[in-house]
Amino acid sequence: MECHDARSLIQSYLDGELSQAQAAPLRTHLLDCQPCRAGAQDEKNLKRWFAAPAATAVPEGFAARVARAAVQGESLPRRGTLTPLAGGAAAGATGAVAVERREASLLRFVLACTAAAALLLFTLALGIRTLSLPQTNQLAADDRAEVQLERTLEDLDQLNRTEAAAGAQKRP
Amino acid sequence: MEQTAPDDDRLVAESLQGSQIAFQLLVERYQDRIFRLIRGYVREPAEIEDLAQETFLKTYKRLESFQHQSSFYTWIYRIAINTVLDHIKRRGRSPVQAVEDLEVLPVNPGQRLPAPAANLEREEISAITQSVLEEIPEIFRTVLILREFEELAYQDIADMLGISIGTVESRLFRARARFKEKLLQKHPEFGAEL
């Protein structure tokens, strides 16, 4: 193995990403090549600077609170560290799940109501049409309108007569 | 007879059917890892909790879009990383909107970085690491956190970030070079002459 190839593999080797077949020739090379060995040692030294920070304890009941908020759309108390936008987004995330589900069920309800209303209207229209059809096969006009008109004309005549009589009495 | 814990896919399916218990089990399963991951980016416990909470709420909201092509933990990590990076950007604490270097910067050519001295406590090393990480561009910081703190395989990192393994390798290489350069810049006392 050449130094150039060895150098390109050192990082993956130290990260445990090489197979046995890839690692074996590199190990042999490192035993023989002091500069590459020094390079590998530098990489190892660097890796020792990556000390993970101490773990942050998960607060008691965190999972239950979050699951309840997510599933039931409840709002969660915030620790006030997020920017207003983030807080809004997070609260929105909580509310949005519930809102979306509520909207979905509301939409289903509205669609069902619309379908029922359409069916009712159709039935009513059918009923009205059936009732408005002649009940017999005789063509007979409805005379109620005529009676109404005659009565109105009589009432007007009566009014005219009364007005004329009243006018005659006033004249000297 | 010993009961086996339900796998992630089953818990996801039950959560989608509205099971609060199933989603709670998922949160319990991943909460430690998500808190630890976020801790790599921010220090305040209250901030970590808020961001973890936001991560899980987003996860629930997006459950229907989980395609099962990657593992659930890869998917939830990705949501957590995006949530934290959005937060950092909004706060204006993002160091640099990094473009990947085409060439690796020469790292203080006259200086080597030995391993931390034996008299340094782990907490001290960790505080130094954290302060250096905060000053390097987020694409480099993220691969370092995922590899060095979370000890994830290249393939998992690639899946999480939606990049190839080759890109993970080259990004890690540059990230380590940046880290070393920044550490020596901030703390020249830790360097050693060649």
Side-chain angles (χ1 to χ4, degrees):
Chain A
M1 179 178 279
E2 298 294 321
C3 291
H4 174 76
D5 299 327
R7 292 285 169 100
S8 69
L9 289 175
I10 286 172
Q11 173 181 260
S12 302
Y13 174 63
L14 294 175
D15 284 338
E17 291 280 335
L18 294 188
S19 65
Q20 274 300 325
Q22 291 169 308
L26 176 63
R27 272 197 294 264
T28 309
H29 179 83
L30 290 178
L31 284 173
D32 294 339
C33 178
Q34 198 282 325
C36 285
R37 202 162 57 245
Q41 186 58 51
D42 283 349
E43 289 295 315
K44 273 179 80 172
N45 289 343
L46 176 62
K47 283 176 80 68
R48 291 185 58 193
W49 281 97
F50 293 110
T56 303
V58 178
E60 188 81 23
F62 174 83
R65 271 203 314 277
V66 171
R68 191 168 51 244
V71 176
Q72 298 181 14
E74 288 178 6
S75 59
L76 276 173
R78 308 200 64 77
R79 309 277 300 267
T81 57
L82 298 186
T83 56
L85 182 59
T94 319
V97 178
V99 167
E100 275 178 17
R101 303 234 156 112
R102 273 200 300 273
E103 280 176 354
S105 63
L106 184 66
L107 184 65
R108 277 196 296 275
F109 176 72
V110 168
L111 283 173
C113 287
T114 310
L119 187 66
L120 187 66
L121 277 173
F122 178 73
T123 313
L124 272 173
L126 207 63
I128 289 167
R129 187 173 176 276
T130 310
L131 285 174
S132 64
L133 285 174
Q135 302 300 306
T136 66
N137 55 3
Q138 291 178 335
L139 290 174
D142 188 345
D143 57 359
R144 278 177 296 180
E146 200 176 331
V147 169
Q148 189 76 29
L149 182 63
E150 278 174 9
R151 193 172 295 161
T152 308
L153 288 173
E154 277 172 18
D155 289 346
L156 278 174
D157 285 346
Q158 182 63 40
L159 278 171
N160 287 337
R161 279 194 297 272
T162 309
E163 209 172 318
Q169 278 178 2
K170 277 183 188 168
R171 277 196 295 271
Chain B
M1 202 167 102
E2 196 180 329
Q3 269 196 323
T4 53
D7 64 19
D8 288 350
D9 285 348
R10 188 172 148 198
L11 290 177
V12 168
E14 287 177 12
S15 299
L16 279 170
Q17 286 167 0
S19 167
Q20 188 174 316
I21 293 294
F23 189 65
Q24 183 175 331
L25 286 173
L26 275 174
V27 176
E28 281 170 1
R29 187 169 290 176
Y30 289 102
Q31 59 188 10
D32 288 336
R33 277 180 269 185
I34 294 299
F35 269 68
R36 193 181 60 215
L37 174 68
I38 297 171
R39 176 68 184 88
Y41 293 90
V42 294
R43 300 177 187 213
E44 283 299 314
E47 200 173 4
I48 294 167
E49 185 182 338
D50 280 352
L51 288 167
Q53 191 172 288
E54 194 174 332
T55 296
F56 285 112
L57 293 175
K58 282 182 183 171
T59 301
Y60 183 75
K61 193 181 171 191
R62 297 173 190 173
L63 267 187
E64 280 175 358
S65 67
F66 175 54
Q67 299 291 317
H68 303 272
Q69 284 164 348
S70 59
S71 59
F72 183 74
Y73 95 89
T74 304
W75 188 67
I76 197 172
Y77 262 50
R78 191 186 306 168
I79 293 174
I81 291 167
N82 289 336
T83 301
V84 175
L85 293 182
D86 283 350
H87 170 65
I88 290 172
K89 278 176 197 159
R90 278 199 300 269
R91 279 286 186 90
R93 281 186 304 186
S94 183
V96 189
Q97 293 300 309
V99 285
E100 283 189 72
D101 307 348
L102 293 174
E103 299 292 335
V104 176
L105 297 171
V107 179
N108 299 325
Q111 271 195 310
R112 283 182 54 244
L113 178 66
N119 62 351
L120 275 178
E121 296 288 336
R122 188 185 163 77
E123 287 74 27
E124 290 176 272
I125 302 170
S126 173
I128 293 164
T129 306
Q130 198 77 11
S131 70
V132 173
L133 281 176
E134 281 168 6
E135 292 191 22
I136 65 172
E138 56 94 350
I139 58 166
F140 297 139
R141 184 167 26 158
T142 294
V143 287
L144 286 175
I145 287 171
L146 295 177
R147 174 60 227 162
E148 301 294 349
F149 295 170
E150 298 301 311
E151 299 181 341
L152 295 176
Y154 288 2
Q155 183 64 64
D156 287 339
I157 298 173
D159 289 346
M160 269 170 212
L161 303 181
I163 55 181
S164 68
I165 288 190
T167 305
V168 172
E169 274 184 273
S170 61
R171 207 176 276 187
L172 262 176
F173 187 71
R174 291 172 185 139
R176 284 174 171 140
R178 284 291 190 106
F179 181 88
K180 188 170 168 183
E181 183 199 28
K182 188 60 75 178
L183 198 154
L184 286 170
Q185 243 176 41
K186 283 173 72 90
H187 301 280
E189 70 275 18
F190 295 136
E193 296 301 317
L194 279 173

